[in-house]
Amino acid sequence: MNVKRISVRTIHSAGLLLLLSAFAIPFVWMVSTSVKSLSETNVFPPVWIPKDFQWGNFADAWNSGPFLHFLTNSVVVSIGILVLQFLTIIPAAYAFARYRFRGDGFLFGLTMVTLMIPSQLIFLPVYLMLSKWGLINTQLALILPFATSAFGIFLLRQTFRQVPEELLEAARLDQAGEWKMIWKLMVPMAKPTLVTFALFSFIAHWNDYFWPLVMTTSNEARTLPIGIYMIREVEGGTAWNVVMAGNMILVIPILIVFFFAQRQIIQAFVYSGVK
């Protein structure tokens, strides 16, 4: 019995280690390559720990283009999208969670269907519409198409449905209006879920390459992922150590955000019963 239990535990641990390796090895490789010399980058078998750390790769990546401009655009676009999403998904999720009205099931189902439509499928009509409005090559062209999120509405609706009706009734007895109940009662209780959604949204739009590529033709409104690709173009696709240093610059803000938000994320999964 003990032998069988030990074997199951060993297989379970081995499976987890294998899964962790699948995610961790590419990241470790990126970190390692970002501080290698060019000769060490191209040797086989690969070198994991460089003999001489090349910290200048980060300066080379930063100076290869208007990185500060790209970084500023990435911050403006990611934060702009997040603010608009909060303003739209919170009232929508509250309505779907706490009210019953004609066609609510159909409207919610329609909202969920949009999750199955990739942005690459609808970029042409959106591009034509934004072009007609004169917004191509502007930050608004990168923000407006993502002003709301079906995933965010679904996630918040599940959280809002778990708030006891008695709390809302008590608030109504105190003559609290609907907007006051949303912002003073529901939003604070859904804080872990909102932080989790904010992180997902921030990562998705911070790393987005496709949309800035098709909506911009100059560096005016382009974001950091486009800048990383320009490093590759400048170096002829051979200086992977500089390219990886650029990727590290792209990833570091995400790691910082995750570091400060990890507790809220775990609470959100526990609260929603996903864990």
Side-chain angles (χ1 to χ4, degrees):
M1 184 66 180
N2 288 335
V3 174
K4 185 179 179 181
R5 184 177 297 175
I6 291 172
S7 298
V8 170
R9 189 176 297 174
T10 303
I11 293 171
H12 184 257
S13 301
L16 287 177
L17 189 61
L18 190 64
L19 187 64
L20 177 64
S21 301
F23 287 98
I25 287 177
F27 182 77
V28 173
W29 175 250
M30 181 181 71
V31 175
S32 170
T33 305
S34 70
V35 290
K36 288 179 184 174
S37 63
L38 184 58
S39 57
E40 283 182 318
T41 304
N42 297 322
V43 297
F44 187 84
V47 176
W48 287 92
I49 301 177
K51 292 179 180 176
D52 186 17
F53 287 81
Q54 302 293 319
W55 300 109
N57 291 341
F58 292 93
D60 291 341
W62 184 265
N63 294 325
S64 63
F67 255 53
L68 181 60
H69 181 70
F70 292 143
L71 182 66
T72 305
N73 281 340
S74 286
V75 171
V76 170
V77 170
S78 301
I79 300 296
I81 289 173
L82 193 57
V83 170
L84 282 181
Q85 286 181 337
F86 277 164
L87 291 176
T88 55
I89 68 173
I90 291 173
Y94 178 75
F96 282 129
R98 312 308 304 197
Y99 285 96
R100 292 293 169 266
F101 49 89
R102 182 177 295 180
D104 61 335
F106 173 75
L107 287 175
F108 185 70
L110 199 62
T111 303
M112 292 300 98
V113 167
T114 61
L115 283 172
M116 305 174 194
I117 303 174
S119 59
Q120 290 84 356
L121 200 63
I122 58 170
F123 86 92
L124 185 56
V126 174
Y127 179 88
L128 294 175
M129 182 177 66
L130 293 174
S131 177
K132 191 173 290 185
W133 292 350
L135 296 179
I136 300 301
N137 274 329
T138 67
Q139 291 170 342
L140 281 176
L142 308 182
I143 295 174
L144 290 180
F146 304 101
T148 190
S149 165
F151 173 69
I153 291 173
F154 170 76
L155 203 63
L156 268 184
R157 173 181 176 266
Q158 299 304 108
T159 302
F160 285 165
R161 291 183 71 175
Q162 296 182 42
V163 176
E165 183 64 26
E166 290 77 11
L167 282 177
L168 297 178
E169 290 296 333
R172 290 191 182 99
L173 288 175
D174 288 339
Q175 299 183 341
E178 294 297 321
W179 286 107
K180 189 174 182 179
M181 284 196 293
I182 291 175
W183 299 110
K184 298 289 185 181
L185 180 63
M186 304 297 275
V187 168
M189 295 189 72
K191 185 179 174 184
T193 303
L194 288 170
V195 172
T196 304
F197 170 75
L199 182 64
F200 287 155
S201 174
F202 182 79
I203 292 173
H205 297 292
W206 182 268
N207 290 330
D208 189 15
Y209 177 80
F210 175 78
W211 206 261
L213 181 66
V214 298
M215 291 296 165
T216 59
T217 55
S218 68
N219 290 341
E220 288 300 316
R222 283 185 164 169
T223 53
L224 210 48
I226 304 291
I228 302 298
Y229 183 77
M230 289 174 66
I231 295 176
R232 185 178 176 181
E233 282 187 332
V234 170
E235 301 296 339
T238 56
W240 288 107
N241 52 343
V242 180
V243 174
M244 291 303 151
N247 281 316
M248 283 299 298
I249 295 172
L250 179 69
V251 167
I252 284 172
I254 295 174
L255 296 179
I256 293 173
V257 171
F258 179 77
F259 177 78
F260 285 104
Q262 56 181 325
R263 180 178 294 178
Q264 299 288 342
I265 293 169
I266 293 171
Q267 285 180 4
F269 282 121
V270 172
Y271 188 68
S272 61
V274 176
K275 187 179 179 181

